[in-house]
Amino acid sequence: MKGSDQTQKIAQKLRKQAASVYTPGVPITDPKYFSGRDNLLNDLTDQLDIQGKVIILYGDRGVGKTSFCNMLVRNRKAIKYSCTEKDNFITIFLNILRDAEIFLTEDEQTSILESGIEIGADGTFKVSDKKTQNIKYKPIGQERLDQSAILRRLKQSTQVDTIVFDEAQNLKDKHVHSQLSSLLKAFSDNHLDIAVIFVGIAETDENLFPADPDYAEYKLRHYTTAQIPPMEENEILDIIERREKLFKLVFDEKFKKDIAWLSIGYPSIAHTLALYSIFSWINRNATELIKKILLGGLQYIFFGLLSISLGKVRINIDRPDFLNGLKKFIDEFKRNYKDEALDLCKLFIEDEGSRILNSIIQLRTNSIPLAQISNELKLDEHELRSIIVRFSKLIKLSKDGNLKFAFSYLSSVNRACLTYIQEKEDGLAQIYPDAISSKKP
C-alpha cells in the first residue's frame, strides 16, 4: 500500500471514530455521553411513575430534546414513534402495535416469516404472509383499530411501558389530537400502566396541541409539560470534558471555552465545532502517524494500522485546529446560504455591521419592539426593516414557524466570524475573498 493511501486510510478511520464521539446530527443514547439538565431529568423520571401521567417535552430545534428523552426512558420498555404530517390515528397505532409485537398471536408469529400490513377501507388491519411470491392476506380478526381495540391489545402486553411520540409538531390534524387526548384519558380511566411522552419543536406546549379543547381540559389532571432550554455554558463545557476523559481528545482551555460561547447553548453546534476541530488535527497529523507506524517495523505496521484509535494517538486541539474548525463551520454556512452569507459579509464591511446583526437577532429571539432597536442603532424603522428582509430566507429556516434556532444559528455564525477575524490577520479576506476584492476603496 502506498504511503498516501495509508495516510488516507488512517485519517478516514480516525474521522469516523471522531464522528461517533461528537454527533451533531444523532441523538445521544449512552448516559456516559449525556450532559446537563440533571434536576429536570430527575424530576420527570419521578413523574413517569405516576399512572396516567403524560409528559410533554418542547423547545427549539437543536437543544437536545430527543437526547433528553432517550435518557428519560433509558430504563424503560419504550416504543418510539416518529410522527409525520401524513399520519392519522390508524397509521400511528398500527405502527406502535407492530413495534410492540402485540398485533399477532403467538401461533401467527411463529408461522409468518415476514409481515406486511394492509389497512382496509373499513379500518380493519391485516397481515400478509410472504413465504411465497403470492402474497396472501390473513386477517387478525375483522376488528376496527379504534380506541377499544388499542386498549384491549396494550393491556395484554408486557413488552411496553412507555410510548414516545417524537417530532410531535408534525401532527397537524385536529381530529388526530382529539383522538389522542381521548385515548390518553382512557389509559388513565382503565388503569393502563403505560407512560406517554410527546417530544416536539415549539415555543410553548400549546403550540404542539393547537386549538384542542380536550388538551386544555385534561392538562391540569393528566399532563406535565417541560421546556428543554438551551444549555448553560458550563453544560456545554461538560460535553467536551466528558469526551476528553473518555477518549483523550484534549482541547486547549481557551478554545474549549470559545466553543461553549460560540454554541449559544445549542449542543448540536458545540458538537459540530468540536468535531471539525478534531478533523483538522487528524488531517494535519495523519502523515506523521504513518511515519511513526512505519518506524516500528513490519509487525508494528500490521497491528498499528488495525488498532489505531483516537485514544491511542492522543489528540490535542490547539489554535490551528480550532481556527480550521471555525473556518469549516463558516464555509458550511456559506455553501448552504449563499445570499445570506454575502449579506453577512456586507454587514461586517459596513461600520458597526456586527452590532446591527446582533440587535436584529435580539429583536427576533427576545421579542424586543422594533422601535426600541431602531432607536438604539440610530436607524429609522424603514432601514432596519430592509436589513431584516436581507435575512428573510434564513429567518424561514424552520418550517414549523419556530425561528429561535434559525437566529441562534445565525448568531453563532456571526460569533464564529468575529472570532476568526480577531484571531487571523487576514480573517475577513479568507472568509469572504470575493466581496473584499470587489469592494472599491
Side-chain angles (χ1 to χ4, degrees), residues 109-126:
Q109 287 186 51
T110 55
S111 66
I112 296 175
L113 294 178
E114 295 182 39
S115 296
I117 298 170
E118 178 187 53
I119 305 174
D122 58 351
T124 60
F125 52 100
K126 304 174 182 179

Side-chain angles (χ1 to χ4, degrees), residues 135-386:
I135 298 177
K136 300 175 183 177
Y137 289 101
K138 181 178 180 182
I140 313 176
Q142 294 297 317
E143 176 182 41
R144 240 179 212 287
L145 188 57
D146 57 11
Q147 179 173 297
S148 297
I150 291 167
L151 287 171
R152 193 158 47 247
R153 290 187 178 276
L154 286 175
K155 273 185 175 181
Q156 299 167 1
S157 173
T158 59
Q159 301 301 313
V160 55
D161 61 15
T162 308
I163 298 174
V164 177
F165 296 91
D166 201 6
E167 303 293 341
Q169 75 278 355
N170 289 328
L171 296 177
K172 308 291 188 185
D173 191 326
K174 64 180 181 180
H175 298 297
V176 174
H177 285 291
S178 180
Q179 288 172 303
L180 286 173
S181 294
S182 178
L183 178 65
L184 297 178
K185 181 180 181 298
F187 276 18
S188 177
D189 293 344
N190 287 270
H191 306 287
L192 191 63
D193 195 12
I194 293 180
V196 176
I197 303 172
F198 289 91
V199 184
I201 300 167
E203 293 190 4
T204 70
D205 60 294
E206 292 177 353
N207 291 148
L208 291 180
F209 299 90
D212 183 2
D214 291 327
Y215 174 65
E217 179 185 346
Y218 299 145
K219 182 174 178 180
L220 290 176
R221 288 182 290 164
H222 298 293
Y223 293 80
T224 292
T225 66
Q227 182 181 22
I228 308 301
M231 300 176 80
E232 301 291 334
E233 284 194 15
N234 65 306
E235 293 176 321
I236 296 288
L237 283 172
D238 186 63
I239 291 174
I240 300 171
E241 289 168 353
R242 279 176 180 265
R243 289 156 179 76
E244 283 184 322
K245 293 174 183 176
L246 288 168
F247 300 98
K248 299 183 176 65
L249 300 171
V250 180
F251 281 74
D252 179 275
E253 285 297 318
K254 178 187 183 306
F255 300 124
K256 191 160 53 176
K257 291 177 181 177
D258 283 345
I259 288 175
W261 176 73
L262 289 163
S263 301
I264 316 183
Y266 286 78
S268 56
I269 296 176
H271 278 256
T272 299
L273 291 168
L275 183 61
Y276 286 171
S277 298
I278 293 169
F279 279 1
S280 172
W281 188 97
I282 291 170
N283 294 337
R284 285 197 310 116
N285 290 278
T287 302
E288 289 300 315
L289 291 173
I290 284 292
K291 288 180 181 178
K292 289 179 181 179
I293 291 173
L294 292 176
L295 288 173
L298 290 176
Q299 185 178 8
Y300 188 63
I301 291 171
F302 178 76
F303 289 106
L305 289 171
L306 287 178
S307 64
I308 193 165
S309 65
L310 293 175
K312 290 182 179 179
V313 300
R314 296 183 177 275
I315 292 176
N316 288 277
I317 304 299
D318 53 17
R319 186 173 181 274
D321 303 312
F322 172 71
L323 292 179
N324 287 340
L326 272 189
K327 181 69 162 47
K328 189 175 181 68
F329 178 67
I330 296 166
D331 287 344
E332 185 177 57
F333 170 76
K334 288 168 59 181
R335 285 193 302 272
N336 291 340
Y337 305 101
K338 293 179 181 179
D339 295 338
E340 289 73 20
L342 185 59
D343 284 334
L344 185 62
C345 166
K346 290 175 182 176
L347 285 180
F348 274 119
I349 296 172
E350 295 166 4
D351 291 339
E352 300 198 72
S354 180
R355 188 167 72 91
I356 293 173
L357 182 58
N358 276 323
S359 296
I360 295 171
I361 292 165
Q362 188 181 24
L363 167 74
R364 299 303 301 225
T365 55
N366 298 322
S367 301
I368 294 174
L370 188 71
Q372 180 181 332
I373 295 294
S374 64
N375 286 335
E376 289 177 4
L377 295 173
K378 297 180 180 178
L379 292 170
D380 63 42
E381 290 190 23
H382 177 74
E383 282 183 286
L384 187 54
R385 286 183 188 279
S386 68

Side-chain angles (χ1 to χ4, degrees), residues 5-121:
D5 293 338
Q6 290 176 327
T7 301
Q8 289 300 319
K9 197 164 187 175
I10 288 289
Q12 184 181 38
K13 184 175 182 179
L14 291 175
R15 285 195 300 268
K16 284 185 176 180
Q17 290 179 16
S20 68
V21 174
Y22 284 100
T23 54
V26 180
I28 291 168
T29 56
D30 191 331
K32 69 174 178 283
Y33 296 150
F34 184 75
S35 299
R37 288 98 174 227
D38 292 335
N39 291 336
L40 182 59
L41 186 61
N42 292 334
D43 179 45
L44 294 181
T45 300
D46 293 341
Q47 294 284 331
L48 278 179
D49 292 328
I50 302 174
Q51 193 175 70
K53 183 62 71 174
V54 178
I55 292 176
I56 298 173
L57 304 177
Y58 64 95
D60 300 342
R61 189 182 300 278
V63 295
K65 298 181 300 300
T66 302
S67 294
F68 181 90
C69 184
N70 288 341
M71 295 303 103
L72 189 59
V73 302
R74 68 186 184 279
N75 295 320
R76 301 181 68 90
K77 300 173 184 176
I79 296 293
K80 299 178 184 177
Y81 182 71
S82 186
C83 304
T84 72
E85 292 183 3
K86 295 182 179 180
D87 270 325
N88 57 45
F89 189 75
I90 290 178
T91 59
I92 291 170
F93 278 96
L94 195 56
N95 282 286
I96 288 172
L97 292 175
R98 181 199 61 195
D99 290 346
E101 298 182 356
I102 56 177
F103 62 100
L104 293 174
T105 67
E106 186 174 347
D107 289 340
E108 286 168 333
Q109 287 186 51
T110 55
S111 66
I112 296 175
L113 294 178
E114 295 182 39
S115 296
I117 298 170
E118 178 187 53
I119 305 174

